[in-house]
Amino acid sequence: MDQAKQTFRLYLQEKGFRKTPERFAIFDEIYASNQHFDVELLYLKMKEKKYRVSRATIYNTMELLLNCNLIRKHQFSRNVTQYEKSFGTSQHDHVVVADSNEVIEFCDPRIESIKKTLEDKHKIKISHHTLYFYAEKSSPTSNT
Amino acid sequence: MDQAKQTFRLYLQEKGFRKTPERFAIFDEIYASNQHFDVELLYLKMKEKKYRVSRATIYNTMELLLNCNLIRKHQFSRNVTQYEKSFGTSQHDHVVVADSNEVIEFCDPRIESIKKTLEDKHKIKISHHTLYFYAEKSSPTSNT
DNA sequence: CTTAGTGCAAAACATTTGCATCGGT
DNA sequence: ACCGATGCAAATGTTTTGCACTAAG
């Protein structure tokens, strides 16, 4: 279960980056939870726990974790970059719900079939995709 | 061919918004071109042509044009919001092909059906989506 | 005449950067 | 001891906001 951290450790090793306590503390904080998060949330959670890291260091570490595929980056809205841990999690897509900070994750096989159709039709090889649905909660109230 | 502008005019009319020259000038600038753009580009292009509008007014107008579906909004990167005109075009998606500056546009009904499934399952109303496939040309000869 | 819309500048905001200090190696 | 990494604060760049003025209705 410590495989993710081991991956991180190896990555730092191989790239010749230093294994600082801050980097592992940030890693631990991220991997201790399953929710999506942004840098500010991480900063506040760590501050709460009296673990002092600067935002600059968090931003730096996010870059490292992205490069070794231990987190995924999302741009749900224009003002905040969100992340999620990604070790051992399967590919999924997202529905961003307005007016509630909710993000629904889903996985639908029809996407794979669309992909196959496109590959055949255009003689291409699709490596990956990004799909976001943007929604709001359907309210029973009417509006003019 | 002036239908898009007519749509805008009607929208303003019905909502009781004023038909200011700035709004139509911005509309014209957008509809005179086919490229994706951001607010700053629009601002500079209009300045170039000696048409003086403030950025604030452009931002305001973008909101109006979005509401009457005359433009679409994209968040390709975290730092700039991009737009494209959208009159009469149905929602289309893109396949970005590497190694050639090619972008394939397509529209697949299965996306609509995925959307419906999600709306029913989560009691939400999906307003729009963004879907990008990233591909490369599959070479017929060399095949690892 | 009324008041929505405008331009301008300042504010807000997330992220980046510069620099002195700290600490992994 | 060296120099990469850190913390802090200032800088950056986009979008929003406040306010006095202009002009659409």
Side-chain angles (χ1 to χ4, degrees):
Chain A
M1 292 308 86
D2 222 9
Q3 269 186 58
K5 192 183 283 189
Q6 191 56 23
T7 301
F8 189 32
R9 205 183 300 276
L10 265 169
Y11 171 79
L12 295 175
Q13 183 77 55
E14 286 174 6
K15 294 284 184 176
F17 296 140
R18 293 183 180 170
K19 304 186 194 66
T20 69
E22 288 84 358
R23 287 173 176 171
F24 286 107
I26 292 166
F27 171 91
D28 287 343
E29 190 61 47
I30 292 170
Y31 268 74
S33 162
N34 282 313
Q35 63 187 173
H36 288 233
F37 62 92
D38 56 45
V39 169
E40 191 62 18
L41 177 63
L42 208 50
Y43 176 75
L44 293 175
K45 281 172 74 177
M46 297 186 75
K47 192 175 201 174
E48 186 101 359
K49 295 181 183 172
K50 313 288 188 229
Y51 199 103
R52 213 151 148 303
V53 245
S54 72
R55 289 181 183 82
T57 299
I58 298 181
Y59 280 108
N60 165 316
T61 304
M62 299 315 259
E63 222 50 48
L64 298 176
L65 291 171
L66 274 172
N67 287 337
C68 55
N69 296 309
L70 286 170
I71 57 175
R72 292 199 190 96
K73 190 182 198 171
H74 296 289
Q75 203 62 50
F76 296 136
S77 76
R78 89 195 54 78
N79 33 282
V80 196
T81 299
Q82 303 239 134
Y83 302 87
E84 68 176 322
K85 65 181 185 183
S86 66
F87 186 80
T89 64
S90 56
Q91 170 65 44
H92 55 263
D93 296 296
H94 298 90
V95 182
V96 183
V97 184
D99 305 325
S100 69
N101 275 353
E102 195 181 355
V103 174
I104 300 168
E105 296 183 355
F106 70 96
C107 186
D108 195 300
R110 281 169 288 195
I111 293 155
E112 266 308 297
S113 72
I114 293 171
K115 176 179 150 183
K116 289 222 168 59
T117 301
L118 288 166
E119 287 183 325
D120 290 349
K121 182 169 181 184
H122 299 286
K123 300 283 182 291
I124 52 177
K125 181 86 187 92
I126 291 172
S127 59
H128 65 287
H129 72 269
T130 63
L131 168 59
Y132 295 96
F133 281 104
Y134 296 90
E136 52 190 67
K137 284 185 169 133
S138 54
S139 63
T141 37
S142 58
N143 65 22
T144 32
Chain B
M1 294 306 91
D2 222 9
Q3 268 187 59
K5 192 183 283 190
Q6 191 56 25
T7 300
F8 189 33
R9 207 184 299 278
L10 265 169
Y11 170 78
L12 294 175
Q13 183 78 56
E14 287 176 4
K15 294 284 185 176
F17 295 138
R18 293 181 180 173
K19 305 186 191 64
T20 69
E22 287 84 358
R23 286 172 177 172
F24 287 108
I26 291 167
F27 171 91
D28 287 342
E29 189 61 46
I30 291 171
Y31 268 74
S33 163
N34 282 314
Q35 62 187 173
H36 287 234
F37 61 93
D38 56 46
V39 168
E40 192 62 18
L41 178 63
L42 207 50
Y43 176 76
L44 293 175
K45 280 172 75 177
M46 297 186 75
K47 192 175 201 173
E48 186 101 358
K49 295 179 183 172
K50 314 285 187 230
Y51 199 103
R52 214 153 147 304
V53 246
S54 71
R55 291 181 181 83
T57 298
I58 298 181
Y59 279 108
N60 165 317
T61 304
M62 299 315 261
E63 222 50 49
L64 298 176
L65 291 171
L66 273 174
N67 286 336
C68 55
N69 296 310
L70 287 170
I71 58 175
R72 292 201 190 94
K73 190 182 198 171
H74 295 288
Q75 201 64 48
F76 296 136
S77 76
R78 87 204 48 85
N79 33 283
V80 195
T81 299
Q82 302 237 134
Y83 302 88
E84 68 175 325
K85 65 181 186 184
S86 68
F87 182 77
T89 63
S90 54
Q91 170 68 48
H92 56 267
D93 296 294
H94 305 266
V95 181
V96 182
V97 184
D99 305 325
S100 68
N101 272 354
E102 196 182 353
V103 174
I104 300 168
E105 292 187 355
F106 71 95
C107 187
D108 194 299
R110 281 169 287 194
I111 292 156
E112 268 307 300
S113 72
I114 293 172
K115 175 179 150 182
K116 291 222 166 59
T117 301
L118 288 166
E119 286 183 324
D120 290 348
K121 182 171 181 185
H122 298 286
K123 300 283 182 291
I124 52 177
K125 182 88 187 87
I126 291 172
S127 60
H128 64 288
H129 72 266
T130 63
L131 169 59
Y132 293 92
F133 281 105
Y134 297 90
E136 54 190 64
K137 280 181 171 139
S138 56
S139 50
T141 44
S142 66
N143 198 337
T144 26

